[in-house]
Amino acid sequence: MNALSRKLSSRTMSGPDPHAHRTLADLGRGDRAIIAGVRTDIAPDVARRLFDLGFTPGSEVALLRRSPL
């Protein structure tokens, strides 16, 4: 496991309940969440791309719209 994988330990996010964990796919339109981490079982290049896009632990995300694809 590389340093990036250790840093991005789980792809789940915490919502209003700090004990509840959800994925990005679980968010509804207008929902906000704090990223808890990125799963370690994903490809390293995917984890790196998410990190480069700003999906880092502690970052807030909001679902504005959903793409059909």
Side-chain angles (χ1 to χ4, degrees), residues 9-55:
S9 62
S10 169
R11 192 177 139 226
T12 60
M13 301 172 304
S14 58
D17 175 4
H19 302 292
H21 290 280
R22 304 180 290 169
T23 66
L24 288 172
D26 296 330
L27 292 177
R29 191 172 189 176
D31 286 350
R32 294 181 178 276
I34 304 296
I35 297 179
V38 177
R39 286 191 336 216
T40 58
D41 62 341
I42 63 174
D45 57 331
V46 173
R48 181 62 199 194
R49 182 67 177 142
L50 290 171
F51 184 77
D52 290 344
L53 289 170
F55 288 85

Side-chain angles (χ1 to χ4, degrees), residues 51-65:
F51 184 77
D52 290 344
L53 289 170
F55 288 85
T56 58
S59 298
E60 182 179 16
V61 294
L63 181 68
L64 301 178
R65 59 185 166 266

